[in-house]
Amino acid sequence: MASTADIRNGVVLSIDGQLWSVVEFQHVKPGKGGAFVRTKLKNVLTGKVVDRTFNAGAKVEIENVDRRDFTYLYNDGDSFVFMDVDNYDQLSVGAATVGDAANFLLENQQVQIALNNDNPLYVEMPASVVLEITYTEPGLQGDRSSAGTKPATVETGYEIQVPLFVEQGTKVKVDTRTGDYLGRVN
């Protein structure tokens, strides 16, 4: 057990059996009354953000969350298999834990996985990835980036919106947080 003085950004707290990551915190000492800590917490598994206030000196349970580098190997039906970069151990992660990151995973891609007591909590992708367009309607002469967008399927099977001039076989940079097209890659 730790006290509220140990609360910092990025620390993971265990509250009511759920894991919450501290997004923001502020120690407040009003002129009248006792001091308190105002926090903004994000649920590690669901991503829900809540505001919570703790009295100064209150006991909180800080969880040990280890973020390690892994390499994605392959999809095994309902789970994804990753290899630890340091010791080459393989880790099988369920599809629910991987979540939307599955839309951008390619073999041999580097990711970070947050572990708590060797249980995977979530998969953290790089901010952007380079993917190849496997199918899109052909563009027409004179199409420009400001004219609009069209759907395109990337090599992972995920569909994104790209400008009209992008053709099949083009490598594009995609934002992993939103799924937005960021640009072409040579």
Side-chain angles (χ1 to χ4, degrees):
M1 290 296 248
S3 74
T4 55
D6 299 318
I7 293 178
R8 301 281 179 261
N9 287 347
V11 169
V12 177
L13 305 175
S14 177
I15 301 170
D16 300 331
Q18 295 187 355
L19 297 177
W20 297 85
S21 177
V22 177
V23 178
E24 292 177 16
F25 74 99
Q26 180 182 18
H27 290 278
V28 180
K29 175 75 173 97
K32 194 179 214 179
F36 58 90
V37 179
R38 186 178 294 137
T39 62
K40 184 177 283 189
L41 304 172
K42 180 179 180 182
N43 189 307
V44 171
L45 299 177
T46 64
K48 180 180 176 184
V49 178
V50 297
D51 293 324
R52 178 112 187 225
T53 303
F54 299 96
N55 290 329
K59 298 293 182 199
V60 292
E61 190 174 340
I62 295 180
E63 286 290 327
N64 182 22
V65 174
D66 186 23
R67 290 178 178 85
R68 296 202 311 239
D69 291 328
F70 283 82
T71 301
Y72 172 63
L73 297 179
Y74 59 91
N75 184 346
D76 187 21
D78 58 344
S79 64
F80 294 80
V81 179
F82 296 88
M83 179 183 68
D84 193 329
V85 174
D86 297 330
N87 58 16
Y88 306 112
D89 286 345
Q90 290 189 5
L91 175 69
S92 184
V93 180
T97 304
V98 174
D100 290 340
N103 297 329
F104 309 105
L105 276 175
L106 290 175
E107 290 181 2
N108 299 321
Q109 186 167 13
Q110 300 296 314
V111 298
Q112 272 196 337
I113 299 180
L115 301 167
N116 175 263
N117 300 328
D118 290 332
N119 294 326
L121 300 174
Y122 58 88
V123 175
E124 198 171 291
M125 295 288 295
S128 64
V129 293
V130 175
L131 298 171
E132 185 176 333
I133 302 288
T134 56
Y135 176 77
T136 188
E137 295 295 325
L140 300 173
Q141 182 66 29
D143 284 341
R144 298 290 175 256
S145 62
S146 61
T149 60
K150 62 182 178 180
T153 305
V154 294
E155 57 191 307
T156 61
Y158 186 64
E159 190 172 280
I160 63 171
Q161 292 293 320
V162 298
L164 295 172
F165 62 82
V166 175
E167 297 175 353
Q168 190 169 317
T170 306
K171 288 192 180 283
V172 295
K173 186 182 266 191
V174 180
D175 187 329
T176 58
R177 296 167 298 222
T178 61
D180 292 340
Y181 164 86
L182 296 176
R184 289 185 290 185
V185 178
N186 294 338

